[in-house]
Amino acid sequence: MAADPIEANIDARELTRELVSGLHHLRHVDLDKAGTALGLVIPPEHPDPSQVGEGKPLSKRQRLDMAFDAIAPSDYEAVCASFLKHGDLTIELSNRVEDLLWSRENWPQITARTRREVAEALDAFDAIWLEADGLLNLVKRHWVLPSPEWSFEPTDPYEPVVRHMFRFPGDWTTLQFFKEIGALNGGDRRFVLFLEGLLSASVNPREARQREMVAAISPILARAGLKVTESGTNDGYPTFTIVALGTRPRPAQLILFAGRHGKPALRLRDVLDQSIEILTGDDAVLTYDVPVGDRGLTWRDVESWWSHRKGIPADQAKLELWRRLVTVCADASPAQHALLVAYYDYAKDHDPLFALLPEVWLHWDPISRRQRGEDAFLNQRMDFLMLLPGLRRVVLEVDGEQHYATPSRQPSPRIYSETTRGDRDLRLAGYEVYRFSGYELSEDRATKTVSDFFDRLLAGSYRA
């Protein structure tokens, strides 16, 4: 459930202050490097005398206070996301940053009752794990357990889990286990990721058992607006992803993108098998025909596909594809070109580098929209598409005048209503839709607009 905007902004401010203040242990020279990596404006140790009093050296505390004061409130989340990726945070801080960023997602609320019913359903099994190390690593990844308050010696806070779940199985019920690790009241998104881990082969490497657990919890999750989908395989075992109802239940099978002109020519080769034949050549549209798994679609995946398709070296494939994407976006609009270039410049040092594909066909109809009339598909082609881990389908649209005005540049409520209705249809079909204005992607704004957006969008996509 989305957080209250005022309360969430206070949380973001205080967490940002804590993160920035936490750099105090660094040396002055290291603060300069950290500021560059984290996108902070940290003033130099020796300021310009004409700007700051008598030019006395600034303390580290002063420098960090000034860096925090320079952050606009609208940028708190982007700074938090930057720390998550580059800040070498403790597990406790990492989890708090993740919870803040995930709280902005429109994720269904998972009540304490739902969590208890899930625990009770799982209690029907002799144990919820087959691999003890897998379960312990899962708990450590998602839940921060407090150390005992009264102890004269350092104590592992996860020792109770080892004792009651592994050494003496049966000590705790699954409900007690959930309560002890904090799963009954933790963040909604974190709880879902934890459940996905329980269903994984790293914790339960037996397919029949995985499927039995899925069957046990699926009706409970459905009442909470969630469903369990089989999203791929890992080491021969099925992988399961929990998504909001309405999210697409299967990975993408075919992507038509980077179209240069006109509608691609398609035909059904075999109706019974739903086999589609692409008659249009690569000169008109590119056809990515490799199923996309749960880990999302990366630029390396697309490069490899093109290299094999054309029988050319990887470096040549990379260059050819990049030129094609740039040309297509430049022909579409300066704003689309700016978004593409700014994204790949932003993401070039990230691993994985998720692919941003332009001009992707979503709907296809052999009859023209003029002939089809009111029943014609809206948003037949998307400006950009990203396929992210967890079966997330992200659509980026760059708003030009065609989204709200007639060809004569007169504002049109009818055209604008079609745009908003198309967005609603996409969201109900399980797509995430984000719109950018041309103003945001102007030459002096594109870099910051893109980096701030993708810092937040991809915040949870780089941690295992």
Side-chain angles (χ1 to χ4, degrees):
M1 174 177 288
D4 176 79
I6 297 177
E7 180 179 337
N9 194 54
I10 293 174
D11 291 342
R13 172 185 171 84
E14 294 309 312
L15 184 53
T16 303
R17 182 189 293 277
E18 181 177 347
L19 292 169
V20 174
S21 298
L23 300 175
H24 188 267
H25 69 282
L26 298 177
R27 299 178 302 168
H28 276 287
V29 64
D30 293 327
L31 280 181
D32 298 329
K33 299 176 183 177
T36 300
L38 296 168
L40 298 174
V41 181
I42 302 179
E45 178 185 3
H46 300 282
D48 185 342
S50 65
Q51 297 180 357
V52 183
E54 301 176 359
K56 294 180 180 180
L58 297 175
S59 68
K60 288 190 288 184
R61 177 60 59 199
Q62 288 175 313
R63 297 179 68 191
L64 293 174
D65 285 345
M66 294 170 71
F68 174 76
D69 292 339
I71 302 171
S74 59
D75 292 336
Y76 289 149
E77 292 175 33
V79 172
C80 288
S82 183
F83 267 90
L84 185 63
K85 288 190 299 183
H86 306 296
D88 191 24
L89 305 181
T90 64
I91 294 177
E92 187 272 338
L93 261 181
S94 293
N95 283 16
R96 288 171 57 196
V97 172
E98 286 177 336
D99 285 338
L100 172 73
L101 298 173
W102 288 339
S103 71
R104 304 306 200 263
E105 298 178 1
N106 188 25
W107 193 259
Q109 182 183 23
I110 307 175
T111 63
R113 175 176 176 173
T114 296
R115 299 173 194 229
R116 287 175 175 272
E117 290 179 352
V118 166
E120 290 165 356
L122 292 175
D123 229 10
F125 298 85
D126 291 337
I128 60 171
W129 55 272
L130 294 177
E131 287 289 342
D133 287 345
L135 179 61
L136 185 59
N137 290 334
L138 179 67
V139 173
K140 289 181 176 180
R141 165 62 182 89
H142 290 294
W143 309 107
V144 179
L145 305 189
S147 297
E149 296 182 4
W150 300 101
S151 178
F152 293 102
E153 298 179 359
T155 303
D156 180 1
Y158 296 92
E159 194 279 332
V161 174
V162 175
R163 182 170 67 252
H164 296 294
M165 294 296 287
F166 309 142
R167 291 179 188 164
F168 304 102
D171 270 10
W172 283 351
T173 64
T174 305
L175 180 59
Q176 181 70 17
F177 170 58
F178 277 22
K179 180 179 179 180
E180 295 294 336
I181 65 175
L184 289 183
N185 53 16
D188 299 322
R189 180 63 172 148
R190 187 172 304 283
F191 181 76
V192 161
L193 292 174
F194 174 66
L195 283 187
E196 289 179 357
L198 287 180
L199 300 174
S200 72
S202 62
V203 177
N204 283 289
R206 187 183 300 160
E207 182 175 347
R209 182 184 180 85
Q210 289 177 281
R211 296 191 183 281
E212 288 170 0
M213 295 175 74
V214 167
I217 67 175
S218 289
I220 302 166
L221 293 177
R223 294 195 292 272
L226 301 168
K227 64 181 177 181
V228 185
T229 67
E230 186 171 343
S231 53
T233 60
N234 183 24
D235 290 335
Y237 294 97
T239 57
F240 297 95
T241 303
I242 300 173
V243 298
L245 290 173
T247 301
R248 308 302 295 185
R250 58 187 298 225
Q253 305 295 305
L254 177 69
I255 308 172
L256 302 181
F257 71 104
R260 280 183 164 145
H261 51 77
K263 182 184 296 185
L266 313 178
R267 69 181 176 190
L268 289 176
R269 173 180 288 275
D270 190 319
V271 174
L272 298 183
D273 290 336
Q274 301 181 21
S275 176
I276 299 175
E277 183 178 7
I278 313 299
L279 303 177
T280 303
D282 292 335
D283 59 322
V285 69
L286 300 185
T287 307
Y288 187 84
D289 52 5
V290 181
V292 180
D294 181 56
R295 65 185 181 86
L297 180 67
T298 68
W299 177 244
R300 190 174 291 113
D301 294 331
V302 182
E303 285 179 19
S304 177
W305 158 78
W306 191 247
S307 175
H308 284 89
R309 182 183 179 105
K310 291 297 184 180
I312 57 179
D315 288 345
Q316 182 181 347
K318 179 178 181 179
L319 183 60
E320 283 189 9
L321 272 175
W322 176 245
R323 286 175 175 169
R324 174 65 175 264
L325 301 192
V326 168
T327 300
V328 165
C329 288
D331 290 344
S333 75
Q336 278 185 240
H337 177 264
L339 196 157
L340 178 84
V341 173
Y343 168 71
Y344 279 102
D345 184 61
Y346 158 87
K348 61 186 178 184
D349 297 324
H350 291 68
D351 186 24
L353 194 171
F354 295 107
L356 179 65
L357 302 182
E359 296 295 300
V360 178
W361 284 89
L362 171 65
H363 304 301
W364 190 90
D365 191 333
I367 300 177
S368 70
R369 187 171 180 180
R370 178 176 299 176
Q371 293 172 295
R372 184 68 71 187
E374 291 297 324
D375 293 327
F377 286 124
L378 301 172
N379 293 352
Q380 293 192 44
R381 189 164 56 184
M382 301 173 282
D383 289 344
F384 293 100
L385 174 70
M386 298 184 79
L387 300 175
L388 299 180
L391 301 181
R392 292 177 67 191
R393 298 184 178 187
V394 176
V395 175
L396 307 182
E397 291 287 340
V398 178
D399 284 350
E401 291 183 343
Q402 74 274 15
H403 292 93
Y404 57 83
T406 65
S408 61
R409 297 187 173 183
Q410 295 298 314
S412 171
R414 180 188 61 79
I415 293 176
Y416 179 70
S417 70
E418 290 183 353
T419 298
T420 56
R421 180 161 62 92
D423 283 359
R424 291 196 302 272
D425 290 344
L426 279 175
R427 291 191 180 99
L428 290 172
Y431 291 80
E432 299 175 39
V433 184
Y434 302 95
R435 289 193 169 273
F436 295 83
S437 68
Y439 176 81
E440 293 178 288
L441 298 172
S442 58
E443 185 175 353
D444 58 338
R445 296 181 180 86
T447 298
K448 178 171 172 51
T449 295
V450 167
S451 62
D452 287 354
F453 171 75
F454 283 104
D455 272 347
R456 296 169 62 183
L457 180 72
L458 302 177
S461 299
Y462 294 112
R463 290 188 64 193

